[in-house]
C-alpha cells in the first residue's frame, strides 16, 4: 500500500502489456492468495466458517492456479474498472484482519506458518512487480510521468574499475540450507562440480554497453544466438529498454540524463549473452554464481542469506541501480553481487535433482514454469532487502526486458 500511495485510481488500472499487471490487480491478487490459499483452507480446520469476501474475486484475482479453477484471462486484467481501487483497499483490510485473527487462533502450527511465510514472500515478489510494471506503463505514456521524485546520484560518476577475481572451483553444494524461508525451487541442496573461473568485480556499466552498441553490437549476427538475432530484427532493438534519444533514459523518477557509470539495466538474456560474447567472456552458470554468493554470506556470518549492506534494494527508495564505487566491495573484491540489477545466468530454469513441489494448489507456484526460461540471481533495486538470499532463483523468458536485469561477466580459467 505504501508503494501505491500517491498513485491515482487511473494509474492503478492500466495494463501496458500482457506480461505486466495493473497495480490494482497486484494489490488484490496478493490478498487473494491469503484469502484463497490460507483462510479458505484453514478456517474450517479450526472449526470456523469461511465466507468469501466476494465470490467473483476467486476467479478475477487468481493468477495461474488451475487447481482453483480457470483464472480471468491474464491479458484482460486492465479492463477491470470494477472493483474500484477503494473496494480493493477494503478487501485488503478485511482479509488482513481475518489473517491476524487466524494467526492468533491457530498458534504456532508449522504447516500454517510455512504457508503464511509463503504468502508474505509472495507479496514481496509483487512489490517488485508493482514497480517494474508501473515503470513499463509510465514509459508508454508520452508524458513520461515520474512515479517518485527520487534524488539520485549525480551523473557522470567514476565507476569502480572492472577486474576479474579467480575462483578455484571444485566440488560444492548449492541450494537452500538453514531453517529460514526458501521457495521450493531452491531445494533440495545438492552437489555441483565447478571448473576454475573468474568473475567480474562489478556488473557491466552503461559506458561499456555503449561501446558494444558503437561496435555494431546490434547489427552483427555473429554475436547473437539464433533466437536472439530473430528477436533483435523482429523487435528492431538497438539499445536496452528505456534508453531514449540524446543520451537520456526513462526511470521511475522520469526522464533524465544517463549516468554511464551505472550498471546497464533492462537488457534481455539475449542481449546479455551477445554482450558477453562481444566482451570475450560469458554469463555465469547459476552454480558458479551461488558458489561466490555463499562464500560472501558465510564471510558475513549469515550462511545462505544475502550480505545486503553493499547493495541497493527497494528500501533505499532510489528505484534505480546506482554506480558501483570503490570501497563498496566485499572481502572478495566484488561489488553489487546482491541488489541493483538482477544478473542473468546462462542456466536454464530447471528442477534441481530430487525436486518435489509441495502437495496441493501451492505446488503450482514454481514447478510448472520450469521450461524455456533462464535463471537470474541477486535481486535488484526493486527487491525488498530481506527477500533475497544466496540460493534465490528468479526466472524470466530470454526476451524479457522490463525487469531490472543486468549483466555480470565470468571467464573460464582452464
Ligand atoms: Fe502471484
Amino acid at each position: 500500500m505504501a508503494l501505491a500511495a500517491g498513485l491515482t485510481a487511473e494509474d492503478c488500472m492500466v495494463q501496458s502489456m500482457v506480461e505486466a499487471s495493473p497495480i490494482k490487480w497486484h494489490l488484490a491478487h496478493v490478498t487473494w492468495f491469503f484469502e484463497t490459499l490460507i483462510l479458505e483452507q484453514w478456517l474450517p480446520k479450526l472449526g470456523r466458517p469461511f465466507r468469501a469476501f466476494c465470490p467473483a474475486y476467486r476467479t478475477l484475482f487468481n493468477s495461474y492456479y488451475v487447481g482453483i479453477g480457470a483464472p480471468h484471462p491474464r491479458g484482460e486484467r486492465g479492463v477491470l474498472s470494477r472493483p474500484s481501487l477503494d473496494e480493493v483497499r477494503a478487501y485488503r483490510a478485511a482479509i488482513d484482519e481475518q489473517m491476524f485473527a487466524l494467526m492468533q487462533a491457530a498458534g504456532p502450527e508449522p504447516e500454517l506458518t510455512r504457508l503464511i511465510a509463503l504468502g508474505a514472500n509472495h507479496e514481496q515478489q509483487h512489490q517488485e512487480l508493482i514497480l517494474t510494471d508501473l515503470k513499463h506503463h509510465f514509459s508508454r505514456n508520452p508524458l513520461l510521468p515520474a512515479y517518485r521524485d527520487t534524488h539520485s546520484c549525480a551523473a557522470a560518476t567514476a565507476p569502480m574499475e572492472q577486474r576479474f577475481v579467480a575462483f578455484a572451483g571444485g566440488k560444492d553444494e548449492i541450494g537452500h540450507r538453514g531453517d529460514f524461508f526458501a521457495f521450493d525451487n531452491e531445494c533440495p541442496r545438492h552437489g555441483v562440480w565447478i571448473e576454475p573461473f573468474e568473475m567480474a568485480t562489478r556488473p557491466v556499466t552503461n559506458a561499456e554497453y555503449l561501446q558494444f552498441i558503437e561496435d555494431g553490437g546490434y547489427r552483427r549476427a555473429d554475436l547473437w544466438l539464433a533466437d536472439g538475432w530473430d528477436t533483435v530484427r523482429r523487435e528492431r532493438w538497438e539499445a536496452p529498454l528505456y534508453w531514449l534519444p540524446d543520451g537520456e533514459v526513462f526511470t521511475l523518477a522520469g526522464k533524465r540524463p544517463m549516468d554511464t557509470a551505472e550498471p546497464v539495466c533492462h537488457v534481455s538474456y539475449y542481449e546479455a549473452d551477445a554482450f558477453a560474447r562481444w566482451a570475450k567472456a560469458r554469463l555465469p552458470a547459476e552454480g558458479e554464481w551461488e558458489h561466490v554468493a555463499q562464500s560472501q554470506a558465510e564471510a558475513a556470518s549469515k550462511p545462505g542469506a544475502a550480505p545486503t549492506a553493499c547493495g541497493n534494494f527497494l528500501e533505499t527508495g532510489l528505484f534505480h541501480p546506482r554506480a558501483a564505487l570503490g570501497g563498496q566491495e566485499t572481502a572478495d573484491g566484488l561489488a553489487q553481487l546482491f541488489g541493483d540489477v538482477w544478473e542473468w545466468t546462462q542456466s536454464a530454469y530447471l528442477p534441481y535433482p530430487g525436486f518435489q513441489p509441495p502437495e496441493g494448489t501451492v505446488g503450482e507456484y514454481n514447478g510448472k514454469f520450469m521450461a524455456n526460461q533462464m535463471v537470474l540471481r541477486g535481486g535488484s533495486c526493486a527487491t525488498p532487502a530481506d527477500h533475497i538470499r544466496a540460493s534465490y532463483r528468479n526466472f524470466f523468458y530470454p526476451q524479457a526486458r522490463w525487469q531490472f536485469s543486468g549483466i555480470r561477466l565470468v571467464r573460464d580459467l582452464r
Side-chain angles (χ1 to χ4, degrees):
M1 293 311 293
L3 289 172
L7 296 174
T8 65
E10 294 92 333
D11 290 335
C12 292
M13 197 190 137
V14 171
Q15 180 170 31
S16 55
M17 61 175 169
V18 173
E19 295 85 351
S21 297
I23 308 307
K24 184 171 74 179
W25 188 90
H26 285 296
L27 294 173
H29 163 71
V30 294
T31 287
W32 170 92
F33 190 97
F34 286 114
E35 183 187 34
T36 311
L37 299 184
I38 300 181
L39 291 175
E40 188 178 315
Q41 320 283 329
W42 276 83
L43 283 175
K45 287 188 192 178
L46 297 170
R48 297 176 174 213
F50 167 77
R51 274 184 219 96
F53 181 86
C54 171
Y57 290 5
R58 204 170 190 273
T59 301
L60 281 186
F61 300 121
N62 178 5
S63 49
Y64 52 68
Y65 295 88
V66 295
I68 301 288
H72 177 72
R74 189 179 184 189
E76 293 180 22
R77 292 172 184 169
V79 304
L80 302 176
S81 61
R82 311 293 175 88
S84 69
L85 184 58
D86 280 344
E87 286 168 318
V88 166
R89 286 198 186 103
Y91 175 46
R92 289 183 58 91
I95 299 303
D96 283 354
E97 201 172 300
Q98 287 189 57
M99 281 299 302
F100 289 130
L102 175 77
M103 285 190 268
Q104 280 176 344
E109 170 68 50
E111 195 190 333
L112 177 61
T113 303
R114 191 183 147 74
L115 266 179
I116 294 170
L118 181 65
N121 277 269
H122 171 250
E123 178 146 346
Q124 287 185 309
Q125 292 182 315
H126 281 275
Q127 288 167 7
E128 176 150 9
L129 293 174
I130 280 175
L131 293 170
T132 56
D133 292 0
L134 183 73
K135 185 171 182 178
H136 187 265
H137 151 202
F138 275 3
S139 80
R140 304 294 294 162
N141 184 332
L143 298 176
L144 295 177
Y147 162 64
R148 294 280 160 85
D149 200 11
T150 58
H151 84 96
S152 55
C153 310
T157 44
M160 192 182 128
E161 183 199 354
Q162 178 175 259
R163 292 182 300 108
F164 281 82
V165 175
F167 293 89
K171 186 175 181 331
D172 196 5
E173 288 187 348
I174 64 165
H176 174 61
R177 66 175 157 178
D179 53 8
F180 49 88
F181 176 84
F183 286 106
D184 57 1
N185 63 7
E186 300 164 57
C187 303
R189 195 167 169 83
H190 61 282
V192 289
W193 178 260
I194 296 167
E195 296 290 337
F197 70 102
E198 55 182 9
M199 179 175 273
T201 46
R202 57 158 171 75
V204 169
T205 60
N206 284 328
E208 288 157 350
Y209 201 83
L210 268 168
Q211 289 173 20
F212 164 74
I213 296 175
E214 285 163 6
D215 196 33
Y218 281 93
R219 299 192 301 273
R220 286 177 49 188
D222 60 308
L223 295 173
W224 295 80
L225 293 167
D227 285 350
W229 184 241
D230 287 348
T231 310
V232 165
R233 289 193 298 172
R234 188 178 62 247
E235 302 293 331
R236 300 188 182 163
W237 285 349
E238 295 179 343
L241 186 63
Y242 306 137
W243 282 30
L244 303 171
D246 304 321
E248 293 189 302
V249 285
F250 178 67
T251 73
L252 279 166
K255 187 170 74 165
R256 65 165 222 209
M258 178 193 298
D259 180 349
T260 55
E262 284 171 1
V264 67
C265 196
H266 298 296
V267 290
S268 63
Y269 172 80
Y270 294 135
E271 288 162 299
D273 170 81
F275 177 90
R277 191 165 295 108
W278 173 81
K280 301 197 167 22
R282 62 174 171 82
L283 302 177
E286 63 174 328
E288 293 166 334
W289 194 98
E290 191 166 329
H291 177 71
V292 176
Q294 284 185 138
S295 349
Q296 285 194 5
E298 273 155 25
S301 305
K302 289 165 70 180
T308 49
C310 56
N312 162 32
F313 294 92
L314 180 146
E315 288 78 1
T316 63
L318 289 175
F319 310 127
H320 196 72
R322 65 183 168 199
L325 303 174
Q328 295 173 336
E329 307 91 330
T330 39
D332 54 12
L334 270 57
Q336 296 180 324
L337 195 65
F338 292 96
D340 291 282
V341 288
W342 287 101
E343 298 178 5
W344 284 107
T345 73
Q346 66 171 28
S347 299
Y349 178 52
L350 292 171
Y352 283 164
F355 169 72
Q356 284 292 338
E359 295 283 317
T361 308
V362 291
E364 294 188 49
Y365 198 109
N366 281 312
K368 71 181 187 180
F369 299 107
M370 290 174 172
N372 304 327
Q373 307 204 57
M374 303 304 287
V375 172
L376 301 100
R377 294 298 197 118
S380 81
C381 55
T383 309
D386 65 358
H387 184 66
I388 197 70
R389 57 195 157 263
S391 60
Y392 194 102
R393 308 172 80 198
N394 198 359
F395 51 94
F396 277 94
Y397 290 101
Q399 69 275 18
R401 308 208 292 175
W402 88 109
Q403 298 304 306
F404 288 93
S405 47
I407 311 168
R408 185 184 296 267
L409 300 176
V410 297
R411 296 192 296 219
D412 294 310
L413 278 181
R414 303 187 68 179

